[in-house]
Amino acid sequence: MIIFQDVRKVYGKDKTKKVEALKGINLEVKKGEIFGVIGFSGAGKSTLIRCVNLLERPTSGKVLVNGIDLQSLPKRKLREERKKIGMIFQQFNLLHAKTVFANVAMPLVLQGKPKDEIKKKVMELLRFVGLEDKAHQYPEQLSGGQKQRVGIARALATDPHILLCDEATSALDPDTTRSILRLLKRVRDELGITILMITHEMNVIRDICDKVAVIDGGVIVEQGSVLDVFTDPQTPIAKNFVRTVLNDELPDSVKRLIAEKRDDQEHHIYRLLFKGDATNDPLLSTVAKKFPIDLSVYNGMVTEIQGSPFGNLIVGFNGPKETVDEAIRYIQSQNVTVKEVE
Ligand SMILES: Nc1ncnc2c1ncn2[C@@H]1O[C@H](COP(=O)(O)OP(=O)(O)OP(=O)(O)O)[C@@H](O)[C@H]1O
Ligand SMILES: [Mg+2]
């Protein structure tokens, strides 16, 4: 649906002022996905997303949208293709002198659609975002969450195939963020719209994205399914982002216990990571029955990522090394990831 092929973007011509915002981006967003790109401020997120609808033109490389290279299109054709790409912004970008109705109607008015058609479409969209009773209010009479709902309704007015979200929830409180994320999920589930979103908030990625890419200094340093990146982040920056929402930092008392046991040849401590169905299996009791060892759970947490359970347990295995190794191999065969405790 959206393919980035070695996309580079350099701002500024003057050598001393040149900024290389994107340094060869390769990404593929599939139809119907909610794809999140996360990174710190200045990483190149906005530049990346703006290259999709050509609010920024790549310096080199290609962005294909539905197989079409928008850069190759003449102006009129480009305008047509852009209608299929909706966009929402952190600061909502509403017209303050116009009512909610007029804001949502704007893209249709620009297209010269007949009045009754516009009215029908706008009311349908306002119903979809839950604002049918606010049609005649002005943006300043709305809360941040309501303003973003207007932004979403306006972005959907041209029946886009793709919705681009540039930090769509960054100006909102946590509860409002959740309600906007639920709405975006409905945009995908009920309207079949592919969503590319950029954010610096890992909870946004956890709550609605299917795939995630981590961008740092204009480079994608890691990407994969949200479950994989959350449960087994590879790069330090991805680990940091994951830590912001899955606090797997051990309490000091547990750290002390682990340190005390470190020299005990009969005691081995591991971190077990359970994903999906594995979370429901009575694995530890099976292991205790199957192998002549004792188990102690030092710390544990179960959370939900993308509607799928994810468990993280710190377990002490008491017994001879060979037997413990055997038990660990058995655990690994049950689709549970086993790691050394750092
Ligand atoms: N129009 C521009 N002219 C010159 N440099 C720019 C321009 N827009 C962005 N940059 C630079 O490009 C780099 C990437 O900027 P970008 O806005 O894509 O980052 P971002 O990840 O969206 O950051 P934030 O989270 O703060 O919005 C930054 O170093 C920025 O200063
Ligand atoms: Mg930005």
Side-chain angles (χ1 to χ4, degrees):
M1 193 88 188
I2 308 174
I3 299 177
F4 282 77
Q5 291 175 345
D6 205 24
V7 172
R8 290 167 194 279
K9 174 71 186 181
V10 181
Y11 288 111
K13 293 200 175 68
D14 182 343
K15 252 194 183 158
T16 53
K17 288 189 196 140
K18 258 189 190 174
V19 177
E20 212 179 344
L22 300 177
K23 300 175 184 166
I25 300 288
N26 289 291
L27 273 188
E28 180 172 355
V29 181
K30 299 217 165 76
K31 190 169 162 36
E33 262 178 0
I34 303 184
F35 195 109
V37 177
I38 188 160
F40 291 119
S41 186
K45 305 184 295 296
S46 294
T47 306
L48 182 146
I49 205 164
R50 292 162 69 87
C51 281
V52 176
N53 55 3
L54 298 190
L55 287 179
E56 294 294 348
R57 282 187 177 256
T59 308
S60 67
K62 269 188 193 164
V63 183
L64 303 177
V65 180
N66 252 336
I68 301 172
D69 175 5
L70 300 193
Q71 289 187 88
S72 70
L73 298 180
K75 267 197 180 140
R76 197 176 51 81
K77 274 261 170 148
L78 176 60
R79 254 199 316 273
E80 281 301 307
E81 289 302 317
R82 268 189 175 150
K83 283 182 203 152
K84 301 179 192 164
I85 309 174
M87 189 164 190
I88 57 173
F89 306 86
Q90 178 172 358
Q91 295 305 336
F92 324 122
N93 294 15
L94 302 179
L95 297 172
H96 292 276
K98 290 195 182 289
T99 62
V100 166
F101 184 98
N103 267 282
V104 177
M106 199 187 58
L108 301 169
V109 171
L110 289 176
Q111 282 180 30
K113 298 277 186 203
K115 261 196 170 154
D116 48 344
E117 193 181 311
I118 292 179
K119 180 151 191 226
K120 184 164 170 277
K121 182 76 186 173
V122 171
M123 290 318 290
E124 189 184 299
L125 288 165
L126 289 178
R127 218 167 299 125
F128 182 79
V129 301
L131 289 181
E132 60 268 54
D133 56 333
K134 303 278 185 215
H136 302 296
Q137 309 236 308
Y138 287 85
E140 60 260 40
Q141 298 171 297
L142 303 179
S143 69
Q146 289 168 335
K147 284 182 200 164
Q148 193 58 290
R149 284 171 191 272
V150 178
I152 292 171
R154 182 184 54 188
L156 298 178
T158 52
D159 293 320
H161 303 170
I162 293 172
L163 181 62
L164 306 176
C165 310
D166 187 344
E167 299 276 4
T169 57
S170 300
L172 306 174
D173 64 62
D175 277 347
T176 313
T177 292
R178 272 191 291 277
S179 80
I180 292 296
L181 294 179
R182 273 198 299 275
L183 175 59
L184 290 175
K185 201 155 189 308
R186 282 180 53 219
V187 167
R188 191 274 303 272
D189 294 345
E190 294 172 27
L191 308 177
I193 294 175
T194 305
I195 298 181
L196 173 60
M197 52 171 30
I198 59 166
T199 180
H200 63 271
E201 297 171 313
M202 201 59 172
N203 59 322
V204 169
I205 304 280
R206 177 195 59 194
D207 289 349
I208 66 161
C209 293
D210 306 303
K211 298 262 186 69
V212 58
V214 182
I215 185 169
D216 187 27
V219 178
I220 302 290
V221 293
E222 183 162 347
Q223 62 173 309
S225 83
V226 167
L227 195 58
D228 285 347
V229 172
F230 266 86
T231 52
D232 196 15
Q234 302 294 315
T235 53
I237 176 168
K239 285 181 188 168
N240 269 338
F241 276 122
V242 169
R243 199 153 282 152
T244 60
V245 284
L246 295 186
N247 188 3
D248 62 355
E249 185 73 18
L250 294 174
D252 285 345
S253 55
V254 175
K255 279 189 191 158
R256 269 199 303 278
L257 241 166
I258 292 173
E260 280 166 22
K261 300 277 187 191
R262 197 144 272 161
D263 297 326
D264 184 342
Q265 299 302 314
E266 293 277 293
H267 201 89
H268 312 274
I269 300 175
Y270 292 98
R271 187 187 288 276
L272 310 187
L273 303 171
F274 300 78
K275 289 190 221 177
D277 291 342
T279 329
N280 302 322
D281 297 339
L283 181 69
L284 291 185
S285 74
T286 309
V287 170
K289 282 180 206 146
K290 240 175 136 68
F291 301 93
I293 52 177
D294 290 323
L295 302 175
S296 21
V297 176
Y298 290 122
N299 196 50
M301 164 203 87
V302 178
T303 182
E304 200 177 83
I305 300 166
Q306 255 294 293
S308 201
F310 167 57
N312 183 339
L313 287 187
I314 306 287
V315 181
F317 295 74
N318 235 330
K321 180 87 170 87
E322 310 79 68
T323 319
V324 170
D325 285 348
E326 221 179 304
I328 293 296
R329 276 194 295 277
Y330 172 75
I331 292 172
Q332 285 168 326
S333 76
Q334 303 299 302
N335 283 328
V336 171
T337 306
V338 180
K339 290 185 153 191
E340 299 282 343
V341 175
E342 319 75 42

